[in-house]
Amino acid sequence: VNQILLLLLVLTVCAILYNKVHQAPLALKHETADLESPEEMEEEIPVVICAAAGRVGAAVAAISSIYSNTEANVLFYIIGLKTTIPHIRKWIENSKLKEIKFKIVEFNPMVLKGKIRQDASRPELLQPLNFVRFYLPLLIQKHEKVIYLDDDVIVQGDIQELYDTKLAPGHAAAFSDDCDLPSTHEMIRSVGMQNTYMGFLDYRKQAIRDLGISPSTCSFNPGVIVANMTEWKHQRITKQLEKWMQRNVEENLYSSTLGGGVATSPMLIVFHGKHSSINPMWHIRHLGWSPDARYSEQFLQEAKLLHWNGRYKPWDYPSVHTDLWENWFIPDPSGKFKLTRPDS
């Protein structure tokens, strides 16, 4: 009897071991197949937008336009100061934007201490969030490629197209050249805008002349950026930008009285000859430079992205093409942000 019991026990153990050895690989293969399934690995598109005090509605409209015009898997990084974060969070969570994927990141303005020269001509350009684009790798950790957008934009195309912009090897970013679209040349001439380095840098200063950049070189607009984070970190772009900010504090190499962009000038220096180009239709700009100069309706309908850079914003009055912006605006549930209109 004991021998029979012993034999049965040995057979049972052998059966258990056989099942484990032969079934485990099947389970492992099944799990691995699920993890690597292309259908489950949709690429995430990170889009960085700032939510500044008094302009939170701008960020909301930009986000609304992007979300409404794409099927892509977009993750919004909304950058704000400590005081504005509760406002933007409440606005999103209590509107139709509650369906978006987003992360709110607090920007610490202390990183700018001693790096910004005070300039009274356009103080709004000195707001800390204007310099968020300098610090993208510190704010966005896990992504190889990132889109940065100014808050005063509306996206009419599929953001996937912009994300698919090709960056040349060794380039950390792609921008829109200010001379790239003949349709905008008349607008530039009519309102006296600058589109060369001469308009942003003070060529009377030796440090600028030593760069060896022709003053007639076409500038670019950093309100729309497609950035490669690996190259950005490898080339220490943030450190380079900070160096020129510091030099401007000491030597006054550029100012808002020139091209109107104290955040643009250091980028023009650091990225000169080392950036790729964005499709011109993905950055139709200058809509905020004059309350009178307008583009044709057909041209605006074909545009993928509209940018109200300049003083005349579409949530204020006067401004142009406000109907295109208001299509995507979502009223503030808290009532704090209100549009300025002639009858308001």
Side-chain angles (χ1 to χ4, degrees):
V1 173
N2 289 339
Q3 288 178 340
I4 293 172
L5 292 173
L6 181 60
L7 179 61
L8 289 173
L9 179 60
V10 170
L11 290 173
T12 301
V13 171
C14 289
I16 292 171
L17 290 173
Y18 178 88
N19 286 336
K20 285 187 175 181
V21 169
H22 286 270
Q23 290 180 6
L26 292 176
L28 184 60
K29 287 179 183 176
H30 179 71
E31 182 177 285
T32 304
D34 282 350
L35 288 173
E36 296 179 352
S37 171
E39 290 78 14
E40 299 295 325
M41 297 292 287
E42 183 183 6
E43 188 172 21
E44 201 169 57
I45 298 179
V47 176
V48 178
I49 295 180
C50 295
R55 297 170 60 121
V56 177
V60 167
I63 292 168
S64 171
S65 70
I66 295 166
Y67 179 65
S68 301
N69 287 305
T70 187
E71 296 295 325
N73 180 23
V74 180
L75 173 59
F76 293 97
Y77 283 87
I78 303 169
I79 317 297
L81 301 181
K82 188 174 183 178
T83 53
T84 61
I85 285 176
H87 189 193
I88 186 67
R89 185 183 297 279
K90 182 178 179 181
W91 201 327
I92 290 173
E93 293 177 349
N94 291 277
S95 71
K96 67 179 183 181
L97 292 181
K98 63 186 176 184
E99 303 296 330
I100 70 171
K101 290 172 59 179
F102 71 99
K103 292 183 179 180
I104 293 182
V105 180
E106 180 182 343
F107 182 68
N108 184 357
M110 290 304 294
V111 300
L112 301 172
K113 187 175 181 180
K115 300 183 181 74
I116 300 177
R117 185 183 183 88
Q118 294 305 309
D119 193 324
S121 61
R122 288 195 65 186
E124 74 274 14
L125 296 175
L126 305 179
Q127 295 302 313
L129 295 183
N130 267 343
F131 301 91
V132 160
R133 70 198 93 188
F134 290 13
Y135 297 94
L136 292 177
L138 302 181
L139 299 165
I140 315 300
Q141 300 291 335
K142 66 173 185 174
H143 301 282
E144 168 73 11
K145 196 175 188 181
V146 171
I147 294 173
Y148 166 88
L149 300 176
D150 276 355
D151 61 359
D152 51 355
V153 306
I154 288 296
V155 174
Q156 300 185 135
D158 186 341
I159 198 71
Q160 180 75 55
E161 293 180 27
L162 181 60
Y163 185 75
D164 290 340
T165 297
K166 302 296 184 185
L167 273 68
H171 285 179
F175 307 97
S176 291
D177 291 324
D178 286 327
C179 308
D180 60 9
L181 203 59
S183 304
T184 66
H185 293 176
E186 184 178 345
M187 169 79 80
I188 291 171
R189 286 192 297 269
S190 68
V191 297
M193 286 180 290
Q194 296 288 348
N195 63 352
T196 66
Y197 273 58
M198 173 68 84
F200 293 88
L201 305 177
D202 188 348
Y203 276 82
R204 296 171 299 178
K205 301 296 172 66
Q206 188 62 43
I208 297 300
R209 295 198 299 273
D210 287 346
L211 291 170
I213 303 173
S214 169
S216 63
T217 301
C218 187
S219 54
F220 58 80
N221 187 299
V224 177
I225 307 173
V226 181
N228 180 311
M229 293 292 91
T230 300
E231 281 294 336
W232 194 291
K233 288 182 281 191
H234 176 69
Q235 297 179 31
R236 298 169 61 86
I237 296 294
T238 298
K239 289 294 183 184
Q240 292 187 56
L241 292 167
E242 287 185 324
K243 181 191 82 170
W244 284 102
M245 292 169 74
Q246 189 67 51
R247 289 199 67 174
N248 183 56
V249 170
E250 298 164 359
E251 303 174 49
N252 194 21
L253 303 176
Y254 52 85
S255 75
S256 60
T257 58
L258 292 171
V262 291
T264 297
S265 299
M267 299 197 87
L268 290 176
I269 295 171
V270 171
F271 284 102
H272 174 253
K274 295 183 291 186
H275 70 275
S276 298
S277 296
I278 290 171
N279 180 334
M281 297 307 288
W282 267 101
H283 195 175
I284 302 303
R285 45 210 179 275
H286 314 316
L287 278 76
W289 272 87
S290 167
D292 303 310
R294 304 173 70 92
Y295 289 112
S296 74
E297 292 303 319
Q298 181 181 350
F299 178 66
L300 292 176
Q301 287 173 9
E302 294 172 355
K304 303 288 188 178
L305 181 148
L306 304 175
H307 188 184
W308 279 262
N309 58 310
R311 296 174 185 266
Y312 302 99
K313 304 302 185 184
W315 55 89
D316 281 335
Y317 179 83
S319 56
V320 296
H321 303 300
T322 54
D323 55 324
L324 295 175
W325 186 85
E326 283 192 52
N327 282 341
W328 308 108
F329 176 67
I330 299 172
D332 184 359
S334 72
K336 295 178 183 177
F337 184 94
K338 299 181 186 299
L339 301 182
T340 304
R341 294 294 180 256
D343 54 353
S344 63

